[in-house]
Amino acid sequence: MIEKWWVFPFIAILGISLLAFIPSPSNTLNPNKYIDSYENIFIKASTIDLYFDDTSDKIFLNDKLFVEEKNDAVYLTAPSQFSISSQSTKIVIGTKNRIQKLKVDGISIKISGIAAIKSIIIDGIGINIDSDISCESIDIKGTGITLKGLMDCITAKIKGTSVNLNIAMANNKDMDINCTNINATIKYFDDSPYFKDLRVSGLSGAMSLILPKNDFFKVEKDISKNIAVNTFFY
């Protein structure tokens, strides 16, 4: 009788080896096509990785996204199977031509790059922005918000539980922050209008304000007393 005890380990090893060559599904919808950009862009997905490319006038996206075009607007929606936070949708928006309105709705939102957009609305739970943005207005709502970079905007509204800011403000007239805790460094550039309004409502935290040493420059501050504020001049 021929002994066959060695056959079973061999088959198991062979099976494991073959599995290594079977591609596993990706957790990211990476761009594989592009469309022309629109004046108004609406994005809805669970986990969003959004990059602004100021050298392009196209939108780069995955062909599994649902695309609905209406006049001067485009609606980009991730498919239902990408509804859990571990799966990501990556989109590149060309901002070479000025966009009128961008609205991003998701759970986890990451934004980077350079953009000139008239109006920006971001609604999520975890929001991480590291970007240079030029806009007339920006409205950010989330639970945990981290914001870094240049904010060249007239009005800014930020509402969240935990807010972390390391930003430079240009051409800003009005900034309104509503949060539970804040950790912020805000630098104001010496630009018009010289009179700025800064309102911060929160239960705890610390802020550093870096202001130009200019007789004409003034920030009218309305900040909760339980938030520590240090002011520096340059």
Side-chain angles (χ1 to χ4, degrees):
M1 180 177 179
I2 301 175
E3 295 184 359
K4 299 181 180 180
W5 58 267
W6 55 271
V7 175
F8 299 104
F10 175 77
I11 293 174
I13 294 172
L14 179 62
I16 294 172
S17 300
L18 290 173
L19 285 174
F21 292 94
I22 299 175
S24 60
S26 172
N27 280 336
T28 302
L29 284 179
N30 287 307
N32 59 8
K33 61 175 283 189
Y34 69 85
I35 61 174
D36 290 332
S37 190
Y38 281 75
E39 289 187 359
N40 302 286
I41 302 172
F42 300 85
I43 300 172
K44 188 172 184 179
S46 176
T47 301
I48 302 168
D49 185 351
L50 182 61
Y51 177 74
F52 297 131
D53 182 0
D54 63 337
T55 67
S56 172
D57 59 359
K58 307 294 183 182
I59 300 175
F60 297 85
L61 68 161
N62 190 278
D63 57 11
K64 291 183 179 179
L65 265 68
F66 298 112
V67 179
E68 184 179 3
E69 300 165 302
K70 290 183 179 180
N71 298 324
D72 58 355
V74 63
Y75 297 79
L76 308 177
T77 307
S80 58
Q81 63 264 35
F82 279 72
S83 60
I84 60 175
S85 59
S86 63
Q87 297 175 311
S88 178
T89 300
K90 186 168 185 177
I91 300 172
V92 178
I93 295 180
T95 57
K96 186 177 181 179
N97 299 326
R98 188 174 177 87
I99 297 169
Q100 293 298 308
K101 183 177 182 178
L102 171 67
K103 184 176 181 182
V104 182
D105 188 356
I107 296 175
S108 175
I109 300 172
K110 177 183 176 182
I111 297 176
S112 58
I114 301 174
I117 301 170
K118 186 175 181 181
S119 173
I120 300 175
I121 301 172
I122 301 170
D123 194 344
I125 294 178
I127 299 172
N128 190 321
I129 301 175
D130 187 354
S131 182
D132 291 346
I133 296 175
S134 174
C135 62
E136 290 186 11
S137 66
I138 185 167
D139 190 339
I140 303 172
K141 295 178 182 178
T143 302
I145 299 172
T146 298
L147 179 57
K148 295 188 292 184
L150 173 65
M151 301 292 294
D152 184 346
C153 58
I154 299 173
T155 63
K157 292 183 179 181
I158 300 173
K159 184 177 182 180
T161 303
S162 175
V163 174
N164 294 277
L165 307 177
N166 187 0
I167 55 176
M169 300 296 295
N171 300 305
N172 178 253
K173 182 179 179 182
D174 185 274
M175 188 170 189
D176 192 335
I177 303 172
N178 191 308
C179 61
T180 301
N181 176 267
I182 187 169
N183 181 12
T185 297
I186 302 175
K187 178 180 180 179
Y188 282 91
F189 285 118
D190 185 3
D191 53 28
S192 61
Y194 288 117
F195 295 95
K196 322 278 188 179
D197 286 323
L198 173 62
R199 295 179 300 279
V200 182
S201 175
L203 299 179
S204 63
M207 297 183 65
S208 293
L209 300 179
I210 305 173
L211 310 177
K213 197 172 183 179
N214 186 318
D215 293 336
F216 303 100
F217 192 92
K218 182 180 180 181
V219 176
E220 191 69 34
K221 299 183 289 291
D222 182 6
I223 301 175
S224 296
K225 293 181 179 180
N226 42 0
I227 297 174
V229 181
N230 293 311
T231 303
F232 305 91
F233 297 92
Y234 70 94

